[in-house]
Amino acid sequence: MSFDGNLKAFPSLREHYDAMVQAGDVDGDPAQRGLTDRYDRLIEEICTRRLSRKSSALGWLFGKRKDATAIVKGLYVHGEVGRGKTMLMDMFFQLLPIERKRRAHFNDFMADVHERIYAHRQAHKRGETKQDDPIPPVADALSQQAWVLCFDEFTVTDIADAMILSRLFSALFARGVVLVATSNVAPDNLYRDGLNRQLFLPFVQVLKQHVDVINLDSRTDYRLEKLDRQPVYLTPLGLETTKRMNVAWANHKNGTPEKPDVIHIKGREIEVRHTVAGAARFTFDELCARPLAASDYIAIVKRYPTLFIDDVPVLDYTRRNEAKRFILLIDVLYDHHAQLFVSADAPPEKLYQARHGTEAFEFDRTASRLFEMQSAEYLSRIPEDAA
């Protein structure tokens, strides 16, 4: 059904949610139901603004009017893991009747941004552009491709991301881009205790000016309700666990000899000592004790959608850098729906022992994802060529 200006031509998100409750697909939750109403208002605001600029040859996005009425505030929904944030944002994205929208994993989006910035700087060095600042042209390109951006589990752990977010999103918001994001931390807790955080704080203020912040205080963790754990997370470390990991690796090889590999990315090399049939095997230290970033993990999982990770230790504040990388690694693997086999010294909820620092906040999400990645439902959604 095409959008013809009649907002009622489309089912509301609230109606869609209620139908799912009626069908028994989800349990009715007052907090979730309230958020569906707020998403419906946002859809109406976006479509109304779209119609008000429809007569412009270039569309409302490129209009030169700077009046405050042109601003559509997005949403930043935060709350504990497993409360339905992703489900509701995905419903919003599916029901939003515009074409120029993008639902992206935040790590992938920032990797794309860094690639664009790098490409622009190279073009400037070659004399192909006189614009030495890459942010405006990158923001132009991103806003032309999508003027509604949806990010799931918005988080900031990389200093390279932290340093450009304020300027990047100021430029995107100035071009009319609407942001919808979910996170398990409030905006004021983003990048908490991060290196040079004072340089990141302007972004928090820019963000809060352009989104309504909502705490989804749902009654339960729905992920844990449906968990049917499979033997892909093995603990504690020891001879028996090592034996079981070796058996799982041998089953995946199925007689095919393994071989080493080298992944080349941005002039760097990532050595992979063990690969076979779309799978790679690493130790925790190989992935998290080295200075790897989101773009490295993305490159690994795109080449090897099945990962075996051996010897994940219990971490504390003295190993917060390794914890940051492990959080980022699991985010990337989860976002790309990788199959994961892990041997660890403790269950997911006991892997990080520190009580302070931003990692203590973010590891709740990591633990929840490690639980979900063991579930039969998660594993059933893995493509056959990745399993």
Side-chain angles (χ1 to χ4, degrees), residues 118-261:
Y118 176 78
H120 181 88
R121 285 174 174 162
Q122 295 300 112
H124 183 257
K125 285 182 180 180
R126 294 191 298 268
E128 297 171 4
T129 176
K130 295 182 179 180
Q131 170 66 276
D132 60 344
D133 183 358
I135 296 297
V138 168
D140 283 339
L142 291 170
S143 61
Q144 289 176 34
Q145 291 174 359
W147 55 276
V148 176
L149 289 175
C150 294
F151 297 129
D152 188 30
E153 298 293 3
F154 191 101
T155 186
V156 183
T157 59
D158 191 307
I159 188 172
D161 294 347
M163 294 303 97
I164 68 169
L165 279 173
S166 182
R167 292 194 62 231
L168 174 65
F169 275 87
S170 292
L172 290 174
F173 290 139
R175 288 158 175 76
V177 171
V178 178
L179 172 66
V180 175
T182 73
S183 180
N184 70 326
V185 297
D188 289 331
N189 286 325
L190 287 168
Y191 200 55
R192 201 172 82 167
D193 300 329
L195 185 64
N196 292 325
R197 188 173 189 261
Q198 70 277 7
L199 301 178
F200 171 77
L201 292 178
F203 168 71
V204 176
Q205 298 309 312
V206 169
L207 177 65
K208 290 162 72 174
Q209 290 170 8
H210 290 86
V211 297
D212 287 331
V213 179
I214 296 176
N215 180 12
L216 182 59
D217 187 18
S218 185
R219 62 177 172 80
T220 189
D221 185 337
Y222 291 99
R223 290 178 177 176
L224 297 183
E225 277 193 347
K226 61 187 180 183
L227 184 63
D228 179 17
R229 227 174 290 179
Q230 304 298 304
V232 296
Y233 185 101
L234 307 177
T235 188
L237 296 180
L239 292 177
E240 180 60 27
T241 290
T242 299
K243 178 181 177 181
R244 293 173 67 190
M245 282 289 284
N246 288 337
V247 168
W249 178 247
N251 288 338
H252 190 87
K253 290 198 302 182
N254 195 27
T256 303
E258 63 183 66
K259 60 182 179 179
D261 189 16

Side-chain angles (χ1 to χ4, degrees), residues 68-109:
T69 59
I71 295 174
V72 175
K73 293 186 73 172
L75 290 178
Y76 182 101
V77 181
H78 69 97
E80 295 183 13
V81 295
R83 272 25 183 198
K85 302 185 299 294
T86 299
M87 175 189 72
L88 294 176
M89 189 191 72
D90 285 346
M91 288 169 59
F92 162 79
F93 183 81
Q94 293 163 8
L95 293 174
L96 180 64
I98 65 170
E99 292 184 1
R100 295 217 313 258
K101 57 184 178 179
R102 179 178 179 183
R103 199 280 197 196
H105 304 305
F106 186 68
N107 292 325
D108 286 354
F109 176 78

